[in-house]
Amino acid sequence: MLSLTHSSPDEFIYKDKSYKVDLAFDTVLLYLQLQQDEKLSPFEKWLQSCKLFFGSQKLPSDPKFYESAFRQIQAIITDNPYGTEEIEKDGGVEATKQFDYVRDAGAIYASFFEQYHIDLNKERGKMHWDTFKALFDGLGPKTYFQRILQIRREDPTKIDDPKARQELYDSQNYYAVDGAKTGQERTAQALNNSALGSAFKSLFEDAEKGGN
């Protein structure tokens, strides 16, 4: 969560030693996408996740380090100052099915440029996830991204005019997330992936057995 009095976290302290953590918005989005790649094994996801967040730093051979580090990273990524949003069910699209960071990348980019005059391509590797999330949540109703969300939320069955109702159906089909997991669902699944947690432990258990 963004703070006006403290810098956004960019390090992880473990046993009195500091490790730099890359929490740029594009790194976090790559991480969330990585967890959805069914072609990769849990071990491969674990390795690539470590490279994304810690780069080429020498990391300890201690499972507790990774458990603690990813628990802290999870807390940062999922933190919401206003709590969890309720799921809206009123004939339209549920709140958790409204957007996808990959599918809606163009709309998000255009909306940041439109409202904040920020070129996200130039912010890769620089803008912290906390900053990105605060700006993302603050996108106004007239931005391209929010207009798409509004189309997805509307309930066509409440429109009496057949032509207008069909136009909304067509628009919803055009802007549909195509069954892809949404931003909230990606976050929830990626950060609660028990297979990754198991990979952390089994990796070092094997290493310890091999060293005995």
Side-chain angles (χ1 to χ4, degrees), residues 85-100 104 148-156 172 177 180-185:
E85 294 182 8
E86 295 183 1
I87 296 178
E88 299 174 2
K89 291 184 179 179
D90 191 21
V93 182
E94 292 183 3
T96 54
K97 300 288 181 66
Q98 288 178 3
F99 74 93
D100 179 271
D104 295 319
I148 290 175
L149 291 192
Q150 185 57 41
I151 289 172
R152 291 172 179 165
R153 292 188 189 108
E154 289 188 50
D155 182 2
Q172 289 183 334
V177 292
K181 292 187 181 297
T182 66
Q184 292 178 359
E185 289 175 322

Side-chain angles (χ1 to χ4, degrees), residues 6-26:
H6 298 85
S7 300
S8 294
D10 62 356
E11 64 177 353
F12 173 65
I13 307 296
Y14 187 75
K15 293 185 177 180
D16 298 324
K17 186 173 181 179
S18 175
Y19 299 87
K20 296 294 292 183
V21 182
D22 181 359
L23 287 169
F25 79 95
D26 51 307

Side-chain angles (χ1 to χ4, degrees), residues 54-97:
F54 295 103
S56 59
Q57 297 176 87
K58 185 176 181 180
L59 305 178
S61 299
D62 182 352
K64 292 183 179 179
F65 167 85
Y66 298 94
E67 292 174 6
S68 298
F70 277 86
R71 190 180 301 115
Q72 180 172 308
I73 291 170
Q74 170 180 341
I76 293 170
I77 294 176
T78 60
D79 195 18
N80 186 337
Y82 304 114
T84 304
E85 294 182 8
E86 295 183 1
I87 296 178
E88 299 174 2
K89 291 184 179 179
D90 191 21
V93 182
E94 292 183 3
T96 54
K97 300 288 181 66

Side-chain angles (χ1 to χ4, degrees), residues 28-29 31-32 35-36 74 77-79 99 101 129 133 181-193:
V28 174
L29 294 180
Y31 169 70
L32 298 179
Q35 307 315 313
Q36 304 304 313
Q74 170 180 341
I77 294 176
T78 60
D79 195 18
F99 74 93
Y101 286 122
W129 172 258
K133 194 62 170 59
K181 292 187 181 297
T182 66
Q184 292 178 359
E185 289 175 322
R186 285 176 186 277
T187 301
Q189 181 167 333
L191 298 175
N192 291 283
N193 192 329

